[in-house]
Amino acid sequence: MEKQRGKGHRLLLMPSPLQGHITPLLQLAQILYSHGFSITIIHTFFNSPNSSTYPHFTFHPIPDFLSDAEASTSDPIHLTDLINIRCKQPLQESLSTLLSHRDDDDDDEDSIACFISDAALHFTQAVCDGFNLPRLVLRTGGASSFVVFASFPILREKGYLPVQESRLEEPVDELPPLKVKDLPKMESRDPEAFYKLVCRFVDECKASSGVIWNSFEELESSALAKLREVLSIPIYPIGPFHKYLPEGSTSSSLLTPDKSCISWLDRQEHHSVVYVSFGSMAAISEAEFLEIAWGLANSNQPFLWVIRPGLVRGSEWLESLPSGFVENLEGRGCIVKWAPQEEVLSHSAVGAFWTHNGWNSTLESICEGIPMICSPCFADQKVNAKYVSDVWRVGVQLQNKLERGEIERTIRKLMVGNEGDEIRHNTLHLKEKANLCLKLGGSSYCFLDSLVSDILSLESSTSRSL
Ligand code: UDX
Protein backbone atom coordinates (compact mmCIF):
# COMPACT_ATOMS: atom_id res chain seq x y z
CA MET A 1 0.00 0.00 0.00
CA GLU A 2 1.35 3.43 -0.90
CA LYS A 3 2.54 4.99 2.34
CA GLN A 4 2.25 8.60 1.25
CA ARG A 5 -1.26 8.65 -0.17
CA GLY A 6 -2.61 10.86 2.59
CA LYS A 7 0.14 13.48 2.22
CA GLY A 8 -1.22 17.01 2.22
CA HIS A 9 -4.41 15.92 3.97
CA ARG A 10 -5.22 16.37 7.64
CA LEU A 11 -7.57 14.25 9.74
CA LEU A 12 -9.28 15.51 12.88
CA LEU A 13 -9.86 12.74 15.42
CA MET A 14 -11.72 12.91 18.74
CA PRO A 15 -11.62 10.16 21.39
CA SER A 16 -14.12 9.45 24.12
CA PRO A 17 -12.01 10.18 27.22
CA LEU A 18 -11.93 6.63 28.65
CA GLN A 19 -8.86 4.37 28.56
CA GLY A 20 -10.52 1.65 26.47
CA HIS A 21 -11.51 4.27 23.89
CA ILE A 22 -8.43 6.54 23.89
CA THR A 23 -6.04 3.66 23.13
CA PRO A 24 -7.69 2.42 19.90
CA LEU A 25 -8.33 5.95 18.63
CA LEU A 26 -4.67 6.89 19.03
CA GLN A 27 -3.65 3.62 17.40
CA LEU A 28 -5.93 4.40 14.45
CA ALA A 29 -4.37 7.87 14.25
CA GLN A 30 -0.91 6.28 14.07
CA ILE A 31 -2.02 3.87 11.35
CA LEU A 32 -3.42 6.71 9.25
CA TYR A 33 -0.34 8.86 9.96
CA SER A 34 1.78 6.06 8.55
CA HIS A 35 -0.22 6.44 5.33
CA GLY A 36 0.80 10.07 5.01
CA PHE A 37 -2.10 11.88 6.71
CA SER A 38 -1.40 14.71 9.15
CA ILE A 39 -3.18 14.22 12.46
CA THR A 40 -4.95 16.58 14.83
CA ILE A 41 -6.38 15.09 18.02
CA ILE A 42 -9.25 17.12 19.45
CA HIS A 43 -9.78 16.12 23.08
CA THR A 44 -11.48 17.04 26.34
CA PHE A 45 -9.50 18.45 29.26
CA PHE A 46 -10.65 15.41 31.25
CA ASN A 47 -8.32 12.42 30.74
CA SER A 48 -6.39 14.31 28.09
CA PRO A 49 -3.87 12.13 26.24
CA ASN A 50 -0.18 12.66 26.83
CA SER A 51 0.79 14.80 23.84
CA SER A 52 4.54 14.36 24.43
CA THR A 53 4.22 10.68 23.44
CA TYR A 54 3.05 11.75 19.98
CA PRO A 55 5.29 14.66 18.89
CA HIS A 56 4.18 14.19 15.26
CA PHE A 57 0.50 14.89 16.09
CA THR A 58 -1.15 18.24 16.82
CA PHE A 59 -3.26 18.25 20.00
CA HIS A 60 -6.20 20.57 20.34
CA PRO A 61 -7.88 20.58 23.77
CA ILE A 62 -11.46 21.78 24.11
CA PRO A 63 -13.18 22.66 27.39
CA ASP A 64 -15.63 20.05 28.69
CA PHE A 65 -17.02 22.14 31.57
CA LEU A 66 -16.99 19.13 33.90
CA SER A 67 -16.87 19.90 37.62
CA ASP A 68 -14.42 17.91 39.77
CA ALA A 69 -17.29 15.65 40.87
CA GLU A 70 -18.45 15.08 37.30
CA ALA A 71 -14.96 14.33 35.96
CA SER A 72 -15.07 10.69 37.05
CA THR A 73 -15.50 7.31 35.39
CA SER A 74 -17.66 5.93 38.19
CA ASP A 75 -20.78 6.45 36.02
CA PRO A 76 -19.42 6.32 32.45
CA ILE A 77 -22.89 6.69 30.90
CA HIS A 78 -23.59 9.92 32.77
CA LEU A 79 -20.09 11.16 31.94
CA THR A 80 -20.64 10.43 28.23
CA ASP A 81 -24.03 12.18 28.28
CA LEU A 82 -22.45 15.27 29.85
CA ILE A 83 -19.67 15.35 27.26
CA ASN A 84 -22.21 15.00 24.45
CA ILE A 85 -24.00 18.10 25.74
CA ARG A 86 -21.20 20.29 27.02
CA CYS A 87 -18.65 19.82 24.25
CA LYS A 88 -21.00 20.82 21.46
CA GLN A 89 -20.29 24.53 21.48
CA PRO A 90 -16.54 24.18 22.16
CA LEU A 91 -16.26 21.77 19.23
CA GLN A 92 -18.18 24.16 16.97
CA GLU A 93 -15.81 26.97 17.92
CA SER A 94 -12.79 24.76 17.49
CA LEU A 95 -13.85 23.54 14.03
CA SER A 96 -14.70 27.06 13.01
CA THR A 97 -11.13 28.12 13.86
CA LEU A 98 -9.46 25.09 12.32
CA LEU A 99 -11.47 25.23 9.08
CA SER A 100 -11.31 29.00 8.61
CA HIS A 101 -7.57 28.95 9.21
CA ARG A 102 -7.37 26.47 6.46
CA ASP A 103 -9.46 28.54 4.07
CA ASP A 104 -7.42 31.71 4.65
CA ASP A 105 -4.14 30.03 4.35
CA ASP A 106 -1.57 29.35 1.72
CA ASP A 107 -0.94 26.11 -0.09
CA ASP A 108 1.56 24.84 2.51
CA GLU A 109 -1.26 23.90 4.87
CA ASP A 110 -2.86 20.48 4.71
CA SER A 111 -6.50 20.35 3.67
CA ILE A 112 -8.88 18.89 6.26
CA ALA A 113 -10.22 15.65 4.85
CA CYS A 114 -12.66 14.52 7.52
CA PHE A 115 -13.48 14.17 11.21
CA ILE A 116 -13.22 10.77 12.89
CA SER A 117 -14.98 10.46 16.22
CA ASP A 118 -15.61 7.75 18.74
CA ALA A 119 -19.13 6.33 18.26
CA ALA A 120 -20.08 7.38 21.81
CA LEU A 121 -19.61 11.05 20.89
CA HIS A 122 -22.84 11.16 18.87
CA PHE A 123 -23.10 14.97 19.12
CA THR A 124 -20.22 15.30 16.66
CA GLN A 125 -22.43 14.28 13.71
CA ALA A 126 -24.63 17.39 13.94
CA VAL A 127 -21.59 19.61 14.52
CA CYS A 128 -19.81 18.19 11.46
CA ASP A 129 -22.98 18.50 9.36
CA GLY A 130 -23.04 22.20 10.26
CA PHE A 131 -19.65 22.58 8.58
CA ASN A 132 -20.33 20.17 5.74
CA LEU A 133 -17.40 18.18 7.10
CA PRO A 134 -17.61 14.41 6.48
CA ARG A 135 -17.65 12.37 9.69
CA LEU A 136 -16.38 8.82 10.02
CA VAL A 137 -16.98 6.88 13.20
CA LEU A 138 -14.57 4.70 15.12
CA ARG A 139 -16.39 1.98 17.03
CA THR A 140 -13.90 0.77 19.60
CA GLY A 141 -15.96 -2.30 20.55
CA GLY A 142 -16.58 -5.40 18.45
CA ALA A 143 -19.02 -5.83 15.57
CA SER A 144 -20.96 -8.64 17.29
CA SER A 145 -21.81 -6.45 20.26
CA PHE A 146 -22.75 -3.63 17.90
CA VAL A 147 -25.32 -5.90 16.25
CA VAL A 148 -26.85 -6.30 19.71
CA PHE A 149 -26.80 -2.54 20.29
CA ALA A 150 -28.42 -1.93 16.90
CA SER A 151 -31.17 -4.39 17.94
CA PHE A 152 -32.02 -2.58 21.20
CA PRO A 153 -35.40 -1.22 19.96
CA ILE A 154 -36.56 -4.65 18.82
CA LEU A 155 -35.19 -6.30 21.98
CA ARG A 156 -37.27 -3.87 24.01
CA GLU A 157 -40.33 -4.39 21.85
CA LYS A 158 -40.06 -8.17 22.35
CA GLY A 159 -39.68 -7.79 26.11
CA TYR A 160 -36.02 -8.92 26.45
CA LEU A 161 -35.07 -5.43 27.67
CA PRO A 162 -34.91 -4.27 30.37
CA VAL A 163 -33.32 -7.54 31.46
CA GLN A 164 -35.46 -9.39 34.01
CA GLU A 165 -33.83 -11.68 36.56
CA SER A 166 -36.51 -14.35 35.98
CA ARG A 167 -35.66 -14.66 32.26
CA LEU A 168 -31.84 -14.78 32.37
CA GLU A 169 -31.56 -18.33 30.98
CA GLU A 170 -33.98 -17.77 28.06
CA PRO A 171 -32.45 -17.75 24.57
CA VAL A 172 -32.71 -14.53 22.57
CA ASP A 173 -34.13 -16.11 19.40
CA GLU A 174 -33.28 -13.07 17.28
CA LEU A 175 -29.58 -13.12 18.27
CA PRO A 176 -28.26 -16.67 18.63
CA PRO A 177 -26.34 -17.87 20.61
CA LEU A 178 -27.12 -15.15 23.15
CA LYS A 179 -29.26 -15.71 26.20
CA VAL A 180 -30.99 -12.90 28.07
CA LYS A 181 -28.15 -12.94 30.64
CA ASP A 182 -25.65 -12.06 27.86
CA LEU A 183 -27.43 -8.84 26.86
CA PRO A 184 -25.53 -5.61 27.59
CA LYS A 185 -26.45 -3.91 30.85
CA MET A 186 -24.99 -0.83 32.44
CA GLU A 187 -26.08 0.93 35.61
CA SER A 188 -26.38 4.68 35.64
CA ARG A 189 -28.20 7.21 37.82
CA ASP A 190 -30.97 7.34 35.21
CA PRO A 191 -32.11 3.74 34.51
CA GLU A 192 -33.05 4.71 30.93
CA ALA A 193 -29.74 6.44 30.18
CA PHE A 194 -27.87 3.42 28.78
CA TYR A 195 -30.71 2.49 26.43
CA LYS A 196 -31.05 6.07 25.19
CA LEU A 197 -27.30 6.52 24.67
CA VAL A 198 -27.01 3.28 22.71
CA CYS A 199 -29.97 4.12 20.42
CA ARG A 200 -28.59 7.58 19.85
CA PHE A 201 -25.08 6.49 18.96
CA VAL A 202 -26.36 3.78 16.62
CA ASP A 203 -28.55 6.37 14.83
CA GLU A 204 -25.64 8.79 14.45
CA CYS A 205 -23.44 5.98 13.11
CA LYS A 206 -26.07 5.44 10.42
CA ALA A 207 -25.90 9.15 9.58
CA SER A 208 -22.10 9.08 9.24
CA SER A 209 -20.00 8.47 6.13
CA GLY A 210 -18.72 5.12 7.41
CA VAL A 211 -17.74 3.13 10.50
CA ILE A 212 -14.26 1.83 11.28
CA TRP A 213 -13.94 -1.29 13.46
CA ASN A 214 -11.01 -2.51 15.51
CA SER A 215 -11.86 -6.03 14.40
CA PHE A 216 -11.26 -8.26 11.40
CA GLU A 217 -13.44 -10.01 8.87
CA GLU A 218 -12.40 -13.57 9.77
CA LEU A 219 -13.26 -13.00 13.44
CA GLU A 220 -16.71 -11.43 13.05
CA SER A 221 -17.82 -12.18 9.50
CA SER A 222 -21.49 -12.84 10.27
CA ALA A 223 -21.87 -9.75 12.47
CA LEU A 224 -20.13 -7.63 9.83
CA ALA A 225 -22.40 -9.02 7.12
CA LYS A 226 -25.43 -8.09 9.21
CA LEU A 227 -24.06 -4.61 9.84
CA ARG A 228 -23.58 -4.04 6.12
CA GLU A 229 -27.37 -4.55 5.79
CA VAL A 230 -28.39 -2.61 8.88
CA LEU A 231 -26.15 0.43 8.48
CA SER A 232 -26.14 0.89 4.67
CA ILE A 233 -22.90 2.88 4.83
CA PRO A 234 -19.36 1.62 4.22
CA ILE A 235 -17.79 -0.31 7.08
CA TYR A 236 -14.10 -0.87 7.54
CA PRO A 237 -12.96 -3.76 9.77
CA ILE A 238 -9.25 -2.93 9.73
CA GLY A 239 -8.10 -4.32 13.08
CA PRO A 240 -6.37 -5.50 15.15
CA PHE A 241 -4.97 -1.96 15.39
CA HIS A 242 -2.16 -2.64 17.86
CA LYS A 243 -0.64 -5.23 15.56
CA TYR A 244 0.22 -2.56 12.95
CA LEU A 245 2.51 -0.87 15.46
CA PRO A 246 5.78 -2.06 17.01
CA GLU A 247 5.08 -3.43 20.52
CA GLY A 248 5.43 -0.72 23.16
CA SER A 249 6.20 1.89 20.46
CA THR A 250 3.80 4.33 22.11
CA SER A 251 1.71 4.08 25.19
CA SER A 252 -1.59 5.83 25.66
CA SER A 253 -1.94 4.51 29.21
CA LEU A 254 -3.42 7.02 31.60
CA LEU A 255 -1.78 5.07 34.45
CA THR A 256 1.93 4.25 34.51
CA PRO A 257 2.58 0.56 33.78
CA ASP A 258 4.68 -1.22 36.40
CA LYS A 259 7.35 -2.94 34.32
CA SER A 260 8.78 -4.86 37.27
CA CYS A 261 6.26 -7.60 36.54
CA ILE A 262 8.15 -8.47 33.35
CA SER A 263 11.25 -9.54 35.28
CA TRP A 264 8.97 -11.57 37.58
CA LEU A 265 7.44 -13.22 34.47
CA ASP A 266 10.97 -13.96 33.19
CA ARG A 267 11.44 -16.21 36.26
CA GLN A 268 8.24 -18.25 35.71
CA GLU A 269 7.81 -21.42 33.70
CA HIS A 270 6.54 -21.42 30.14
CA HIS A 271 2.72 -20.91 29.93
CA SER A 272 2.32 -21.32 33.69
CA VAL A 273 1.04 -17.86 34.72
CA VAL A 274 -2.56 -16.68 34.98
CA TYR A 275 -2.68 -12.97 34.13
CA VAL A 276 -5.64 -11.28 35.85
CA SER A 277 -6.94 -7.85 34.93
CA PHE A 278 -10.39 -6.29 34.75
CA GLY A 279 -9.46 -3.24 32.67
CA SER A 280 -9.70 0.42 33.51
CA MET A 281 -13.22 0.84 34.87
CA ALA A 282 -14.74 -2.30 36.40
CA ALA A 283 -15.20 -2.27 40.17
CA ILE A 284 -15.83 -5.22 42.49
CA SER A 285 -16.96 -5.62 46.10
CA GLU A 286 -14.61 -6.50 48.93
CA ALA A 287 -16.25 -9.94 49.20
CA GLU A 288 -15.62 -10.64 45.48
CA PHE A 289 -12.04 -9.41 45.87
CA LEU A 290 -11.42 -11.95 48.63
CA GLU A 291 -12.95 -14.79 46.59
CA ILE A 292 -10.59 -13.91 43.70
CA ALA A 293 -7.60 -13.76 46.07
CA TRP A 294 -8.33 -17.18 47.61
CA GLY A 295 -9.28 -18.74 44.27
CA LEU A 296 -5.93 -17.65 42.82
CA ALA A 297 -3.97 -18.74 45.88
CA ASN A 298 -5.68 -22.14 46.06
CA SER A 299 -5.20 -22.85 42.35
CA ASN A 300 -1.47 -23.25 42.98
CA GLN A 301 -0.70 -21.63 39.64
CA PRO A 302 1.55 -18.55 39.55
CA PHE A 303 -0.44 -15.38 38.88
CA LEU A 304 0.10 -11.77 37.88
CA TRP A 305 -2.78 -9.72 39.22
CA VAL A 306 -3.54 -6.10 38.28
CA ILE A 307 -5.26 -4.46 41.23
CA ARG A 308 -5.98 -0.96 39.99
CA PRO A 309 -6.53 1.60 42.75
CA GLY A 310 -10.33 1.89 42.77
CA LEU A 311 -10.91 -1.72 41.64
CA VAL A 312 -12.24 -2.69 45.08
CA ARG A 313 -15.15 -0.48 46.09
CA GLY A 314 -14.42 1.35 49.32
CA SER A 315 -10.71 0.38 49.37
CA GLU A 316 -7.63 2.32 48.43
CA TRP A 317 -5.67 -0.71 47.28
CA LEU A 318 -4.75 -3.96 49.08
CA GLU A 319 -5.97 -3.23 52.62
CA SER A 320 -8.74 -5.83 52.53
CA LEU A 321 -6.34 -8.72 51.82
CA PRO A 322 -5.84 -10.87 54.94
CA SER A 323 -2.53 -10.10 56.65
CA GLY A 324 0.24 -12.40 55.48
CA PHE A 325 -1.62 -13.29 52.25
CA VAL A 326 1.11 -12.01 49.93
CA GLU A 327 3.98 -13.37 52.06
CA ASN A 328 2.37 -16.82 52.20
CA LEU A 329 2.41 -17.04 48.41
CA GLU A 330 6.21 -17.22 48.58
CA GLY A 331 6.70 -15.41 45.30
CA ARG A 332 3.97 -17.30 43.42
CA GLY A 333 1.91 -14.14 43.00
CA CYS A 334 2.86 -10.75 41.62
CA ILE A 335 0.51 -7.81 42.22
CA VAL A 336 0.77 -4.50 40.35
CA LYS A 337 -1.42 -1.40 40.04
CA TRP A 338 -1.21 -1.35 36.24
CA ALA A 339 0.67 -3.65 33.86
CA PRO A 340 2.19 -3.20 30.40
CA GLN A 341 -0.60 -5.50 29.16
CA GLU A 342 0.49 -6.04 25.57
CA GLU A 343 3.97 -7.01 26.74
CA VAL A 344 2.52 -9.27 29.42
CA LEU A 345 0.23 -11.11 27.00
CA SER A 346 3.07 -11.71 24.56
CA HIS A 347 5.34 -13.09 27.31
CA SER A 348 5.98 -16.82 27.01
CA ALA A 349 5.30 -17.40 30.74
CA VAL A 350 1.63 -16.39 30.40
CA GLY A 351 -0.78 -19.30 29.90
CA ALA A 352 -4.21 -17.75 30.51
CA PHE A 353 -5.86 -14.35 30.82
CA TRP A 354 -8.62 -13.94 33.37
CA THR A 355 -10.37 -10.91 31.93
CA HIS A 356 -13.53 -8.78 32.16
CA ASN A 357 -13.65 -9.00 28.32
CA GLY A 358 -13.40 -5.34 27.47
CA TRP A 359 -12.99 -5.40 23.71
CA ASN A 360 -9.33 -4.28 23.73
CA SER A 361 -8.36 -6.97 26.23
CA THR A 362 -10.30 -9.61 24.30
CA LEU A 363 -8.62 -8.71 21.03
CA GLU A 364 -5.16 -8.43 22.60
CA SER A 365 -5.58 -11.91 24.07
CA ILE A 366 -6.75 -13.38 20.74
CA CYS A 367 -3.76 -11.82 18.96
CA GLU A 368 -1.31 -13.48 21.35
CA GLY A 369 -3.12 -16.83 21.34
CA ILE A 370 -3.84 -16.71 25.08
CA PRO A 371 -6.93 -18.65 26.30
CA MET A 372 -9.32 -16.60 28.41
CA ILE A 373 -11.23 -17.05 31.64
CA CYS A 374 -14.17 -14.68 31.32
CA SER A 375 -15.79 -12.57 34.03
CA PRO A 376 -17.72 -9.94 32.09
CA CYS A 377 -18.96 -7.00 34.14
CA PHE A 378 -21.03 -4.63 32.00
CA ALA A 379 -21.92 -3.21 28.58
CA ASP A 380 -20.44 -5.07 25.58
CA GLN A 381 -18.36 -7.34 27.84
CA LYS A 382 -21.11 -9.96 28.27
CA VAL A 383 -21.51 -10.33 24.50
CA ASN A 384 -17.73 -10.51 24.02
CA ALA A 385 -17.48 -13.22 26.70
CA LYS A 386 -20.24 -15.27 25.05
CA TYR A 387 -18.39 -15.16 21.73
CA VAL A 388 -15.12 -16.12 23.43
CA SER A 389 -16.64 -19.15 25.17
CA ASP A 390 -19.33 -20.36 22.75
CA VAL A 391 -18.49 -19.11 19.24
CA TRP A 392 -14.71 -18.83 18.93
CA ARG A 393 -14.24 -21.32 21.79
CA VAL A 394 -11.06 -19.68 22.98
CA GLY A 395 -11.98 -19.47 26.65
CA VAL A 396 -14.34 -20.45 29.44
CA GLN A 397 -16.78 -18.35 31.41
CA LEU A 398 -17.07 -18.37 35.15
CA GLN A 399 -20.77 -19.18 35.37
CA ASN A 400 -21.72 -18.03 38.82
CA LYS A 401 -20.93 -15.13 41.05
CA LEU A 402 -17.26 -15.07 41.96
CA GLU A 403 -16.60 -17.99 44.30
CA ARG A 404 -13.16 -19.35 45.28
CA GLY A 405 -13.95 -23.04 44.59
CA GLU A 406 -15.21 -22.38 41.06
CA ILE A 407 -12.27 -20.07 40.38
CA GLU A 408 -9.76 -22.67 41.51
CA ARG A 409 -11.42 -25.44 39.45
CA THR A 410 -11.67 -23.26 36.34
CA ILE A 411 -8.02 -22.22 36.47
CA ARG A 412 -6.87 -25.79 36.94
CA LYS A 413 -9.16 -27.07 34.18
CA LEU A 414 -7.71 -24.61 31.70
CA MET A 415 -4.06 -24.75 32.78
CA VAL A 416 -3.42 -28.28 34.05
CA GLY A 417 -3.97 -31.53 32.14
CA ASN A 418 -5.62 -32.00 28.76
CA GLU A 419 -8.97 -30.33 29.26
CA GLY A 420 -7.72 -27.02 27.94
CA ASP A 421 -6.09 -28.53 24.82
CA GLU A 422 -8.97 -27.83 22.45
CA ILE A 423 -9.24 -24.24 23.65
CA ARG A 424 -5.49 -23.75 23.24
CA HIS A 425 -5.68 -25.20 19.75
CA ASN A 426 -8.55 -22.85 18.75
CA THR A 427 -6.72 -19.91 20.25
CA LEU A 428 -3.59 -20.50 18.19
CA HIS A 429 -5.69 -20.93 15.07
CA LEU A 430 -7.40 -17.57 15.65
CA LYS A 431 -4.06 -15.92 16.41
CA GLU A 432 -2.85 -17.07 13.01
CA LYS A 433 -5.90 -15.50 11.33
CA ALA A 434 -5.33 -12.24 13.22
CA ASN A 435 -1.79 -12.13 11.83
CA LEU A 436 -2.74 -13.02 8.27
CA CYS A 437 -5.46 -10.37 7.88
CA LEU A 438 -2.87 -7.58 8.14
CA LYS A 439 -0.53 -9.00 5.50
CA LEU A 440 -0.52 -7.86 1.86
CA GLY A 441 -3.87 -8.90 0.37
CA GLY A 442 -5.34 -9.83 3.78
CA SER A 443 -8.84 -8.63 4.70
CA SER A 444 -7.83 -5.78 7.04
CA TYR A 445 -5.05 -4.72 4.67
CA CYS A 446 -7.59 -4.38 1.85
CA PHE A 447 -10.19 -2.58 3.99
CA LEU A 448 -7.53 -0.11 5.12
CA ASP A 449 -6.64 0.50 1.50
CA SER A 450 -10.34 1.28 0.77
CA LEU A 451 -10.56 3.47 3.85
CA VAL A 452 -7.63 5.60 2.70
CA SER A 453 -9.12 5.93 -0.81
CA ASP A 454 -12.56 6.72 0.55
CA ILE A 455 -11.23 9.41 2.90
CA LEU A 456 -9.55 11.10 -0.05
CA SER A 457 -12.66 10.90 -2.21
CA LEU A 458 -14.89 12.11 0.65
CA GLU A 459 -12.77 15.23 0.82
CA SER A 460 -12.81 15.91 -2.89
CA SER A 461 -16.58 15.36 -3.09
CA THR A 462 -17.34 17.83 -0.29
CA SER A 463 -17.18 21.53 -0.92
CA ARG A 464 -17.32 23.12 2.48
CA SER A 465 -19.26 26.26 3.14
CA LEU A 466 -18.74 27.95 6.49
C1 UDX B 1 -13.96 -0.07 28.25
C2 UDX B 1 -15.11 -1.03 28.46
O1 UDX B 1 -15.08 -1.59 29.72
C3 UDX B 1 -15.12 -2.11 27.43
O2 UDX B 1 -16.24 -2.93 27.64
C4 UDX B 1 -15.17 -1.55 26.06
O3 UDX B 1 -15.12 -2.60 25.13
C5 UDX B 1 -14.01 -0.60 25.87
O4 UDX B 1 -14.02 0.38 26.90
P1 UDX B 1 -11.86 -1.16 29.65
O5 UDX B 1 -12.76 -1.62 30.73
O6 UDX B 1 -10.78 -0.30 30.04
O7 UDX B 1 -12.65 -0.54 28.42
O8 UDX B 1 -11.29 -2.51 28.97
P2 UDX B 1 -10.51 -2.81 27.65
O9 UDX B 1 -11.33 -2.56 26.46
O10 UDX B 1 -10.01 -4.18 27.80
O11 UDX B 1 -9.31 -1.77 27.63
C6 UDX B 1 -8.33 -1.74 28.60
C7 UDX B 1 -7.02 -1.32 27.96
O12 UDX B 1 -6.11 -1.01 29.01
C8 UDX B 1 -6.39 -2.43 27.12
O13 UDX B 1 -5.86 -1.89 25.93
C9 UDX B 1 -5.27 -2.96 28.00
O14 UDX B 1 -4.13 -3.40 27.29
C10 UDX B 1 -4.92 -1.77 28.84
N1 UDX B 1 -4.44 -2.19 30.17
C11 UDX B 1 -5.26 -2.78 31.06
C12 UDX B 1 -3.12 -1.99 30.47
O15 UDX B 1 -2.35 -1.47 29.64
N2 UDX B 1 -2.67 -2.36 31.69
C13 UDX B 1 -3.46 -2.94 32.61
O16 UDX B 1 -2.97 -3.24 33.71
C14 UDX B 1 -4.81 -3.16 32.30
Side-chain angles (χ1 to χ4, degrees):
M1 210 184 301
E2 226 265 83
K3 294 283 179 202
Q4 290 303 310
R5 281 165 72 200
K7 201 165 167 48
H9 306 274
R10 180 167 291 276
L11 305 174
L12 311 178
L13 294 97
M14 183 166 181
S16 171
L18 302 169
Q19 181 70 73
H21 294 244
I22 295 170
T23 300
L25 185 122
L26 287 169
Q27 288 166 343
L28 174 64
Q30 286 172 275
I31 294 164
L32 293 170
Y33 176 81
S34 73
H35 287 276
F37 291 101
S38 304
I39 301 292
T40 295
I41 305 291
I42 299 179
H43 62 87
T44 52
F45 289 169
F46 172 62
N47 272 356
S48 57
N50 181 359
S51 56
S52 65
T53 321
Y54 304 91
H56 44 303
F57 294 174
T58 304
F59 284 81
H60 196 89
I62 58 170
D64 46 40
F65 303 111
L66 298 172
S67 66
D68 287 349
E70 289 165 340
S72 147
T73 57
S74 59
D75 183 346
I77 299 298
H78 183 58
L79 175 73
T80 306
D81 282 345
L82 289 177
I83 289 169
N84 271 303
I85 296 164
R86 304 222 185 126
C87 289
K88 186 171 179 191
Q89 198 186 339
L91 181 63
Q92 277 165 336
E93 286 166 9
S94 161
L95 288 186
S96 180
T97 311
L98 289 167
L99 292 167
S100 64
H101 251 251
R102 173 56 238 137
D103 283 7
D104 297 345
D105 250 331
D106 50 58
D107 295 336
D108 294 344
E109 284 262 341
D110 301 312
S111 59
I112 293 177
C114 72
F115 189 92
I116 304 179
S117 95
D118 188 290
L121 304 184
H122 56 71
F123 79 100
T124 58
Q125 184 63 48
V127 175
C128 288
D129 287 346
F131 291 95
N132 203 14
L133 177 65
R135 171 185 178 253
L136 289 169
V137 171
L138 166 63
R139 175 57 195 157
T140 56
S144 308
S145 60
F146 196 91
V147 168
V148 183
F149 288 139
S151 311
F152 261 29
I154 182 95
L155 292 174
R156 172 167 281 205
E157 203 182 297
K158 301 239 166 169
Y160 296 114
L161 292 178
V163 168
Q164 291 161 43
E165 290 295 313
S166 57
R167 299 185 61 183
L168 293 180
E169 291 301 328
E170 281 181 31
V172 179
D173 294 331
E174 292 74 6
L175 295 170
L178 299 189
K179 291 185 173 178
V180 170
K181 66 180 178 187
D182 304 313
L183 293 175
K185 245 174 81 175
M186 199 149 175
E187 307 294 337
S188 181
R189 62 197 64 192
D190 166 8
E192 279 290 287
F194 181 51
Y195 180 84
K196 286 192 216 151
L197 177 64
V198 165
C199 293
R200 189 70 199 278
F201 84 58
V202 170
D203 284 349
E204 299 303 352
C205 280
K206 290 179 182 166
S208 75
S209 302
V211 183
I212 302 163
W213 258 281
N214 186 13
S215 186
F216 55 101
E217 189 68 43
E218 290 75 7
L219 184 67
E220 297 196 280
S221 56
S222 55
L224 289 162
K226 195 152 194 179
L227 288 173
R228 287 187 182 100
E229 282 168 31
V230 174
L231 296 179
S232 24
I233 48 166
I235 64 175
Y236 307 95
I238 62 166
F241 292 174
H242 68 289
K243 283 296 182 185
Y244 288 85
L245 313 165
E247 190 182 292
S249 57
T250 56
S251 167
S252 53
S253 257
L254 297 166
L255 298 170
T256 309
D258 181 345
K259 295 216 167 206
S260 67
C261 60
I262 300 296
S263 43
W264 179 85
L265 283 175
D266 289 342
R267 296 194 296 275
Q268 308 307 315
E269 280 176 31
H270 192 66
H271 286 173
S272 66
V273 173
V274 187
Y275 170 58
V276 189
S277 168
F278 298 143
S280 64
M281 289 194 296
I284 55 175
S285 67
E286 196 178 307
E288 289 171 320
F289 178 62
L290 289 176
E291 292 305 308
I292 297 174
W294 285 117
L296 286 170
N298 297 343
S299 77
N300 276 327
Q301 289 296 125
F303 61 86
L304 166 58
W305 187 7
V306 177
I307 305 179
R308 203 188 67 239
L311 172 71
V312 187
R313 285 185 214 103
S315 286
E316 289 282 318
W317 195 38
L318 299 182
E319 22 344 330
S320 37
L321 280 181
S323 69
F325 178 85
V326 176
E327 295 72 16
N328 288 339
L329 293 169
E330 295 174 343
R332 202 165 44 74
C334 174
I335 295 176
V336 292
K337 291 184 174 167
W338 193 249
Q341 183 161 302
E342 270 182 52
E343 211 178 329
V344 167
L345 288 171
S346 63
H347 196 288
S348 62
V350 173
F353 182 12
W354 181 3
T355 169
H356 70 313
N357 288 112
W359 183 247
N360 297 292
S361 294
T362 304
L363 205 55
E364 288 160 13
S365 202
I366 285 173
C367 289
E368 299 308 331
I370 302 294
M372 284 170 260
I373 298 171
C374 308
S375 288
C377 299
F378 55 77
D380 59 331
Q381 297 160 14
K382 287 171 189 282
V383 181
N384 302 340
K386 183 72 173 182
Y387 274 74
V388 165
S389 60
D390 287 35
V391 179
W392 306 317
R393 303 169 101 74
V394 293
V396 288
Q397 282 206 57
L398 287 170
Q399 290 303 335
N400 305 303
K401 68 181 175 65
L402 295 170
E403 188 273 318
R404 63 189 76 183
E406 189 192 358
I407 294 169
E408 180 191 337
R409 281 191 297 280
T410 307
I411 292 174
R412 296 185 66 78
K413 190 168 117 181
L414 195 61
M415 309 275 295
V416 186
N418 301 333
E419 276 198 78
D421 284 353
E422 192 191 331
I423 289 177
R424 272 187 288 280
H425 170 82
N426 296 342
T427 317
L428 292 174
H429 188 58
L430 208 47
K431 172 185 176 177
E432 182 71 17
K433 288 185 177 173
N435 282 328
L436 284 176
C437 72
L438 299 181
K439 300 240 157 45
L440 179 68
S443 61
S444 293
Y445 181 97
C446 295
F447 278 117
L448 176 59
D449 194 32
S450 321
L451 173 65
V452 171
S453 305
D454 290 354
I455 289 175
L456 295 173
S457 59
L458 272 176
E459 182 185 356
S460 54
S461 65
T462 321
S463 63
R464 272 191 294 286
S465 49
L466 290 175

